């Protein structure tokens, strides 16, 4: 193995887990509490697209109980009580998860984020959004909040292949993502990227290129998911007519372990798999609980005697560096909001 494990790599987990990152940063256990702030999505309401991403059924994103009709403060109390009981956590990050959580007026965003931060046990917020739905005003708002509280901006890329992004009706491009990461970077808040593996037409080698992309961008953490079809989505129909063939568990574990070996240790791992309520999850159904999925990947790294970043290339990929630079130049040259 060319690189010795970095101090951030947990000796048993073989990765820089986000839980450990938070513990190092705050000195205590911190839990994320999901809330539904009642946003919608520009890829559903017609302003960017209609129908949404082919895998999108937002029920699968949220644990039971986070309904938009429930006031934010009530959702927070219920979520914090759950984490206090189950995980003995006393400090929390409020996670604005469902739909596109920067898609609203700056007054609305400010009100929601500040209400979340008002609770004495809340140390920060995490805001999930699309790369094409983050205004300069929203970035300034998050920058201001980050002066006193923890802020994590979660940006969905899902695939770095524009052809796949088109086929899944994502409604944005790789360049949108790179441009937005660059606009948001250096603002004293964290940036998290979301990726999905298992799209039709994507090989394991294709997916691994995204590790090189992440290495070349100012990304602080990452969430990895398998593509799964849930009830009520276009993807579920594609599965039923044989157009979507899900990955096997073995293939997913092998590729994610490869991906982690290529990922810099500075990038904390927030998720290694996606989960959806069993009653609506159609495929794949691997039959593992969340902690079993997590340890299936950790065990694969252990079996290999490898760890996050152990196969990090000495030099970043020239193709990726040139692509990122091209987008930066286009942005600096006045291409406007990407
Ligand atoms: S961007 Fe997110 S909320 Fe919007 S359609 Fe896609 S998956 Fe659903």
């Amino acid at each position: 193995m060319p690189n010795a494990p970095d101090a951030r790599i947990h000796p048993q987990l073989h990765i820089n887990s986000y839980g450990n990152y938070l513990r190092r940063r705050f000195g205590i256990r911190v839990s994320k509490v999901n809330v539904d702030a009642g946003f919608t999505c520009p890829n559903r309401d017609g302003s960017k697209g209609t129908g949404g991403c082919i895998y999108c059924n937002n029920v699968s994103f949220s644990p039971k109980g986070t309904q938009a009709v429930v006031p934010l403060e009530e959702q927070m109390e219920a979520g914090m009580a759950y984490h206090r009981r189950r995980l003995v956590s006393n400090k929390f990050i409020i996670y604005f998860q469902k739909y596109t959580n920067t898609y609203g007026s700056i007054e609305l965003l400010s009100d929601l984020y500040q209400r979340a931060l008002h609770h004495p046990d809340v140390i920060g917020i995490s805001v999930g959004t699309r790369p094409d739905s983050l205004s300069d005003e929203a970035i300034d708002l998050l920058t201001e909040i980050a002066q006193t509280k923890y802020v994590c901006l979660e940006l969905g890329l899902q695939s770095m292949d524009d052809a796949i992004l088109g086929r899944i009706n994502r409604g944005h491009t790789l360049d949108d993502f790179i441009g937005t990461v660059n606009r948001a970077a250096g603002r004293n808040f964290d940036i998290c990227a979301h990726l999905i593996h298992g799209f039709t037409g994507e090989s394991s080698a294709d997916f691994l290129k995204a590790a090189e992309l992440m290495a070349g961008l100012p990304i602080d953490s990452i969430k990895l998911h398998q593509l799964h079809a849930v009830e009520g989505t276009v993807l579920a129909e594609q599965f039923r007519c044989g157009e979507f063939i899900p990955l096997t568990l073995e293939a997913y574990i092998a590729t994610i372990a490869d991906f982690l070996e290529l990922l810099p240790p500075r990038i904390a791992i927030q998720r290694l798999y996606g989960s959806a309520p069993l009653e609506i999850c159609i495929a794949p159904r691997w039959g593992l609980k969340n902690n079993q999925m997590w340890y299936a990947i950790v065990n694969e790294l252990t079996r290999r005697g490898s760890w996050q970043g152990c196969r990090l290339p000495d030099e970043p990929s020239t193709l990726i560096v040139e692509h990122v630079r091209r987008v930066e130049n286009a942005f600096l040259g006045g291409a406007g909001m990407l």
Side-chain angles (χ1 to χ4, degrees):
M1 293 290 166
N3 305 304
D6 185 283
R8 291 164 290 198
I9 302 300
H10 190 283
Q12 272 86 48
L13 299 178
H14 298 242
I15 58 173
N16 176 14
S17 76
Y18 187 62
N20 280 305
Y21 162 78
L22 292 176
R23 202 182 276 268
R24 282 195 304 274
R25 183 161 173 166
F26 298 107
I28 46 166
R29 177 189 276 277
V30 177
S31 289
K32 280 174 82 171
V33 170
N34 299 346
V35 291
D36 176 354
F39 287 100
T40 178
C41 172
N43 197 26
R44 283 172 164 260
D45 73 3
S47 75
K48 297 278 179 186
T50 52
C53 307
I54 63 166
Y55 52 83
C56 179
N57 170 341
N58 248 280
V59 174
S60 68
F61 293 176
S62 303
K64 286 173 187 161
T66 56
Q67 302 296 326
V69 288
V70 179
L72 184 69
E73 287 76 6
E74 267 181 51
Q75 294 182 55
M76 287 169 50
E77 284 300 343
M80 288 190 283
Y82 173 84
H83 286 286
R84 280 197 178 95
R85 209 169 46 244
R86 291 288 300 269
L87 299 170
V88 201
S89 305
N90 288 313
K91 293 292 172 191
F92 305 95
I93 293 167
I94 302 303
Y95 178 23
F96 291 86
Q97 179 193 33
K98 203 169 179 181
Y99 290 117
T100 301
N101 294 275
T102 54
Y103 187 43
S105 70
I106 204 68
E107 293 75 22
L108 175 72
L109 303 185
S110 179
D111 176 64
L112 288 166
Y113 302 161
Q114 295 298 350
R115 277 165 56 199
L117 291 163
H118 186 67
H119 193 287
D121 293 335
V122 171
I123 60 165
I125 53 171
S126 209
V127 177
T129 192
R130 291 168 55 86
D132 58 359
S133 302
L134 187 68
S135 67
D136 288 339
E137 291 74 22
I139 293 179
D140 288 343
L141 174 63
L142 295 176
T143 306
E144 192 189 322
I145 294 171
Q147 287 176 9
T148 52
K149 298 285 184 178
Y150 174 79
V151 174
C152 182
L153 174 71
E154 298 198 11
L155 289 173
L157 171 60
Q158 321 310 4
S159 170
M160 63 179 285
D161 181 337
D162 281 344
I164 290 177
L165 292 176
R167 286 202 295 275
I168 64 173
N169 197 36
R170 223 7 235 176
H172 68 72
T173 62
L174 170 62
D175 287 3
D176 290 338
F177 176 81
I178 295 173
T180 297
V181 167
N182 285 327
R183 282 194 303 126
R187 301 294 198 109
N188 204 28
F189 57 75
D190 282 2
I191 302 175
C192 171
H194 286 217
L195 289 169
I196 297 176
H197 179 38
F199 292 115
T200 303
E202 175 194 62
S203 67
S204 171
D206 295 335
F207 182 70
L208 295 181
K209 286 187 201 137
E212 294 181 44
L213 174 70
M214 296 297 119
L217 288 172
I219 297 292
D220 303 286
S221 62
I222 195 163
K223 288 185 172 179
L224 303 173
H225 289 234
Q226 75 279 22
L227 180 63
H228 54 204
V230 297
E231 202 59 78
T233 63
V234 173
L235 190 64
E237 294 313 309
Q238 291 183 352
F239 172 73
R240 289 189 173 109
C241 67
E243 288 173 19
F244 164 54
I245 298 171
L247 291 173
T248 63
L249 174 62
E250 294 71 24
Y252 183 74
I253 289 171
T255 302
I256 296 303
D258 289 343
F259 185 99
L260 293 168
E261 290 175 358
L262 295 168
L263 196 69
R266 68 174 167 80
I267 299 180
I269 311 299
Q270 292 216 33
R271 285 196 77 91
L272 288 171
Y273 56 89
S275 55
L278 261 186
E279 58 273 22
I280 60 165
C281 183
I282 295 173
R285 292 180 67 123
W286 291 330
L288 295 186
K289 294 183 178 148
N290 287 348
N291 63 337
Q292 291 172 317
M293 271 304 299
W294 174 270
Y295 278 104
I297 294 161
V298 167
N299 290 345
E300 174 61 12
L301 293 172
T302 308
R303 187 191 67 75
R304 295 180 183 191
S306 70
W307 56 85
Q308 181 183 339
C310 70
R311 287 197 293 129
L312 194 61
D314 291 335
E315 295 288 331
S317 151
T318 319
L319 277 178
I320 299 280
V321 170
E322 281 173 4
H323 190 126
V324 170
R325 198 167 291 146
R326 230 179 15 253
V327 178
E328 277 171 1
N329 289 341
F331 177 67
L332 291 171
M337 183 175 151
L338 286 160

